Amino acid sequence: MKDLKFPIHFSFNIGTLSNDFTAKDAGGSTVAYVKQKMFKLKEAITIYSDSSKKEVAYTIAANQWLDFSAAYALKDADGSIIGKVARKGWASIWKANYEIIDQHEKLQYHIKEKNPWVKVLDSILGEIPVLGFFTGYLFHPTYNVTNLRGEVIVQLKKEPSFFGKEFKVELVKPIDNDDDDRIMLSLMMMVLLERRRG
C-alpha cells in the first residue's frame, strides 16, 4: 500500500458473517480487502491485495489474549513485523486513543478520536427502535492521525450510510518516511475495533 491515491474509502460488507471491508482509492481501484477471522480468542486480520482473496499482502495479529491494552503486530506478506498499533486501554474508555509504533519499537504517530460525544450520541440513538436505523446518517465520528509534533497527517471519518458501513481516509499532510502501509494498517485495525465498540 505505497503511493496511495487519497482519499481512501472503506466499505464494509454487511452481507457476510465475517467482519470484512474493501478499501478503494480515489480512482475506485481496490487497494486492499480486509477480513477479520470470526470466533477467535485473539484478533486475526488478513489483508488481501484485492477482493479475489488470492494474494495475502499483510496480516495483523494481537500479541496478547483478550488484553485490555493489547498491541497488534503489523506483518507483511513474508511475516516480517513492520510495526505495531497499540490501543491505550484506560485512555480509550472515553475517547479512542491508539499509538502507531515502527519496526524498531519507536512511537511514530497517535490516533485520537476528535469528539467522543459524537460516538456517545450515535450509540444512544442506535438503541431507539426505528430511529436506530438512521444513526449512520446522523453522527459521524472522526479520528485524527497525528505525528509527534501534534500535526494532523491523516483523518478517518465515518460517512453517511445505513449501518455505518462507509468510512473515508483523507490525507492532510504528506506522510513521512514511506509510512503509508503502517498508517493504513493501523487505521484498518482501529476501525474494526471501534466499529465493534459502537
Side-chain angles (χ1 to χ4, degrees):
M1 286 187 289
K2 300 289 185 184
D3 303 317
L4 294 168
K5 296 176 182 176
F6 289 88
I8 307 296
H9 294 270
F10 294 171
S11 183
F12 277 83
N13 187 349
I14 59 172
T16 63
L17 291 175
S18 59
N19 199 9
D20 57 347
F21 65 88
T22 303
K24 294 186 177 183
D25 67 13
S29 299
T30 298
V31 296
Y33 180 79
V34 182
K35 185 174 182 181
Q36 181 177 24
K37 293 180 181 176
M38 304 300 284
F39 311 115
K40 291 279 185 180
L41 289 177
K42 276 189 178 182
E43 300 288 352
I45 314 298
T46 305
I47 295 91
Y48 299 93
S49 55
D50 57 42
S51 54
S52 69
K53 297 184 282 186
K54 290 180 180 177
E55 182 183 348
V56 174
Y58 303 92
T59 58
I60 305 174
N63 67 347
Q64 298 178 38
W65 294 93
L66 298 174
D67 188 81
F68 192 53
S69 300
Y72 302 90
L74 315 173
K75 299 180 182 180
D76 64 17
D78 298 324
S80 301
I81 294 178
I82 61 171
K84 294 179 182 176
V85 58
R87 180 175 177 268
K88 305 304 290 179
W90 289 108
S92 288
I93 289 178
W94 165 244
K95 186 176 182 178
N97 194 332
Y98 294 78
E99 293 178 344
I100 301 175
I101 300 160
D102 70 11
Q103 68 271 38
H104 305 297
E105 299 288 335
K106 291 184 178 179
L107 175 64
Q108 276 193 309
Y109 301 96
H110 295 276
I111 307 175
K112 293 185 179 180
E113 192 170 0
K114 190 174 179 182
N115 184 354
W117 281 108
V118 174
K119 188 166 58 181
V120 171
L121 293 171
D122 187 30
S123 296
I124 291 171
L125 192 60
E127 297 300 318
I128 301 173
V130 182
L131 287 179
F133 288 113
F134 301 99
T135 57
Y137 284 95
L138 299 174
F139 302 107
H140 313 294
T142 298
Y143 304 88
N144 289 328
V145 178
T146 59
N147 60 22
L148 299 185
R149 298 185 294 275
E151 300 167 329
V152 177
I153 304 299
V154 174
Q155 191 172 77
L156 181 146
K157 186 174 183 180
K158 183 178 174 185
E159 294 281 276
S161 61
F162 269 120
F163 304 109
K165 70 183 191 74
E166 302 290 336
F167 295 81
K168 181 167 71 172
V169 182
E170 292 187 286
L171 184 66
V172 178
K173 285 193 173 185
I175 297 173
D176 294 335
N177 307 319
D178 257 356
D179 293 336
D180 310 45
D181 51 358
R182 194 157 30 246
I183 289 174
M184 289 305 298
L185 291 170
S186 297
L187 287 174
M188 287 171 175
M189 186 70 240
M190 185 215 72
V191 80
L192 286 168
L193 293 169
E194 291 303 310
R195 195 167 179 266
R196 187 172 63 191
R197 289 175 67 202

